[in-house]
Amino acid sequence: MKQVKLSPTKYNDMADVANPDAWAWQQSGLCRQADASLYFSDDDERGLIKEEKIKQAILICNQCSVLNECKEFALKTKQQYGIWGGLTEEQLNSERRKRGRSSKSPS
């Protein structure tokens, strides 16, 4: 499959997500070499164990060459669970709200 270099604004609408080339960046993600449980916590995980797993996942994300593509994908496709692009679920929700407000403000 041809590798596609994505810009942070690649996902303009959901039609982009249906394009297989739009997913090619995932092949380069460092998370593919890590335990998926670092990125997706069990519902009953709490406290220090959960915090430590989140820290480990974010450390890996911050070294990843597709960090921006991952974050933009998660924001545009409204991923609700897991660590994406070095952001927690709460941070992703906050970023979506912030972007929603700025897109509604008059120019």
Side-chain angles (χ1 to χ4, degrees):
M1 178 187 291
K2 176 182 157 192
Q3 284 287 356
V4 177
K5 184 70 174 165
L6 302 178
S7 68
T9 59
K10 171 66 179 167
Y11 301 101
N12 296 324
D13 58 40
M14 290 308 287
D16 288 338
V17 176
N19 176 354
D21 285 340
W23 294 71
W25 60 268
Q26 291 185 358
Q27 298 299 317
S28 300
L30 289 178
C31 58
R32 293 178 55 86
Q33 302 166 26
D35 183 347
S37 71
L38 290 177
Y39 299 89
F40 299 96
S41 299
D42 291 332
D43 289 338
D44 61 349
E45 273 184 336
R46 303 268 187 280
L48 293 176
I49 292 173
K50 183 175 182 175
E51 288 175 28
E52 193 56 39
K53 287 172 78 173
I54 289 170
K55 284 181 190 176
Q56 288 177 15
I58 291 172
L59 281 173
I60 294 168
C61 289
N62 288 335
Q63 298 173 46
C64 187
S65 65
V66 294
L67 175 77
N68 289 329
E69 290 89 341
C70 183
K71 178 173 66 174
E72 289 303 314
F73 172 82
L75 291 167
K76 298 290 183 174
T77 60
K78 298 181 171 91
Q79 297 296 316
Q80 296 180 14
Y81 304 103
I83 306 295
W84 290 85
L87 300 178
T88 65
E89 296 162 5
E90 294 81 13
Q91 291 168 324
L92 287 167
N93 287 330
S94 176
E95 182 66 22
R96 273 192 286 274
R97 284 191 301 273
K98 184 170 69 172
R99 289 184 182 195
R101 283 192 301 269
S102 65
S103 69
K104 293 176 185 174
S105 62
S107 303

